[in-house]
Amino acid sequence: MGLLTGLGYTNVRHYAGGLTEWMATPDAASAMPVPVLARAAGARTPPDAPRIPRLRTFTSVWFVDALADQTVGGLFRLWLAIVGVCGAAYWCLGWFPGHAIQTDGAPMRSDALGVLSALYFSAVTATSVGYGDLVPLGAARLLAIAESIAGLVIFGCLISKFVSRRQEELIGEIHRIAFEDRLGRVRTNLHLVRTEVQATARLCEGQEMAPPVAVARVESIAMVFVGELLAVHDLLYRPQQTPDEPVLEAILASLASVFREFHELLCCVADARSGYPVALRTNVAAMSRLAAEISGDCVPRQYAPALRNRMDQIQRIAGELAQI
């Protein structure tokens, strides 16, 4: 707003068209300098324009990603490597005066016992225990700080790995229970659909023309059956999680039974009416398409030899329904 005022425009607080309409005006657009107009329009800065350098954290991001990709064993081996390398560095620093590790006020020994002391101090530092029996001096202090930070980061990654693993197990168990529950509800709903088909078929027995209530129930059954087919399609189209063969066989048997009895019910309704309602035709077409996909794509191939008969029945009846 101060920019518009500086360009000579008044009453800018009450401009009815707003900044977008003002910029769309040829006179206003030409009156504004090009860089100002570009900034007001939200355009990007040209490639040749000077840019303010920004600090990037590619190194830290790469480091975090590399640790996240490691396994628990890989992180533990990395921790052991840090302890060993830093222990060797502490022992080597003992050769330089003023940069060694002191124990009881005396410099650390440079023999085999000194190597063990250096490894002990490195392990204590990496775990952030800090008993105080060994004290670093000079450059060894900087190395001890770096080692303690690295040890804390690695231990944090290890804890997050354990927690994530437990969470994955719990989530997998929840998904398995939900999957089995949905399979059970699908089997129950298919039984209810079959019962409704049989009840509707009894309404048409002994009558030349099916009553209107029977036709309405057929349309309702078709919609409900399409919904159950969608549920079965969604449950079976899961390569990482497949039901047991007996459960799958029971579902396919229920589908074949419902398809067979629904096809007979449609034939009964077709004898009494000259044509099917549009909604019923749409649902029947959806039933045929879903049945073909369930029998052809969703059923795991390792079950195909044992369930070929059921799938062939479903595909045959679905093909007959597609011709309606």
Side-chain angles (χ1 to χ4, degrees), residues 86-102 108 118 121-122 125 134-148:
C86 291
Y90 292 133
W91 184 76
C92 292
L93 288 174
W95 293 90
F96 299 94
H99 299 285
I101 297 176
Q102 285 187 349
M108 185 179 61
F121 176 77
S122 178
T125 303
L134 298 177
V135 180
L137 298 176
R141 292 182 177 182
L142 300 177
L143 183 59
I145 293 175
E147 184 183 8
S148 63

Side-chain angles (χ1 to χ4, degrees), residues 25-259:
T25 305
D27 296 338
S30 60
M32 176 176 283
V34 176
V36 176
L37 181 61
R39 288 196 300 269
R44 294 183 178 181
T45 307
D48 54 349
R51 297 182 179 181
I52 300 176
R54 295 182 299 175
L55 295 178
R56 301 183 183 273
T57 58
F58 291 123
T59 304
S60 60
V61 172
W62 174 85
F63 178 72
V64 172
D65 292 340
L67 288 179
D69 294 337
Q70 294 292 327
T71 61
V72 174
L75 290 174
F76 184 71
R77 288 191 294 269
L78 178 61
W79 182 83
L80 291 178
I82 291 176
V83 171
V85 171
C86 291
Y90 292 133
W91 184 76
C92 292
L93 288 174
W95 293 90
F96 299 94
H99 299 285
I101 297 176
Q102 285 187 349
T103 172
D104 295 332
M108 185 179 61
R109 300 172 59 177
S110 58
D111 53 3
L113 293 178
V115 174
L116 294 178
S117 299
L119 291 176
Y120 163 76
F121 176 77
S122 178
V124 170
T125 303
T127 55
S128 299
V129 175
Y131 290 114
D133 52 347
L134 298 177
V135 180
L137 298 176
R141 292 182 177 182
L142 300 177
L143 183 59
I145 293 175
E147 184 183 8
S148 63
I149 294 175
L152 289 175
V153 171
I154 293 177
F155 269 107
C157 292
L158 284 173
I159 293 174
S160 65
K161 289 286 184 180
F162 289 131
V163 174
S164 299
R165 182 176 180 180
R166 182 56 180 168
Q167 287 180 346
E168 290 176 358
E169 293 177 355
L170 293 177
I171 292 174
E173 185 68 16
I174 292 173
H175 287 174
R176 184 188 64 80
I177 295 174
F179 182 75
E180 294 178 355
D181 181 67
R182 290 187 65 186
L183 284 176
R185 283 191 281 111
V186 165
R187 295 174 61 183
T188 302
N189 293 339
L190 288 176
H191 176 72
L192 295 177
V193 170
R194 182 183 178 186
T195 303
E196 185 68 17
V197 170
Q198 294 174 351
T200 306
R202 286 193 293 268
L203 294 177
C204 301
E205 292 179 354
Q207 299 186 21
E208 296 182 357
M209 178 175 293
V213 62
V215 178
R217 292 182 67 172
V218 169
E219 296 179 1
S220 177
I221 291 171
M223 289 188 294
V224 175
F225 191 31
V226 168
E228 294 305 317
L229 287 174
L230 287 172
V232 173
H233 184 279
D234 180 61
L235 287 173
L236 298 183
Y237 198 68
R238 294 171 181 262
Q240 72 280 6
Q241 187 174 10
T242 55
D244 298 332
E245 187 171 352
V247 176
L248 183 58
E249 184 176 4
I251 291 177
L252 292 179
S254 299
L255 287 177
S257 177
V258 174
F259 266 111

Side-chain angles (χ1 to χ4, degrees), residues 257-270:
S257 177
V258 174
F259 266 111
R260 183 174 57 254
E261 296 186 9
F262 186 80
H263 182 265
E264 295 175 357
L265 181 60
L266 281 180
C267 294
C268 177
V269 175

Side-chain angles (χ1 to χ4, degrees), residues 255-263 288 291 312-322:
L255 287 177
S257 177
V258 174
F259 266 111
R260 183 174 57 254
E261 296 186 9
F262 186 80
H263 182 265
S288 177
D312 290 342
Q313 293 179 9
I314 295 175
Q315 288 182 339
R316 177 178 57 81
I317 300 175
E320 294 176 358
L321 290 177

Side-chain angles (χ1 to χ4, degrees), residues 9-29:
Y9 294 92
T10 58
N11 200 20
V12 293
R13 293 183 178 272
H14 305 282
Y15 187 71
L19 184 60
T20 303
E21 184 178 343
W22 177 83
M23 290 177 56
T25 305
D27 296 338

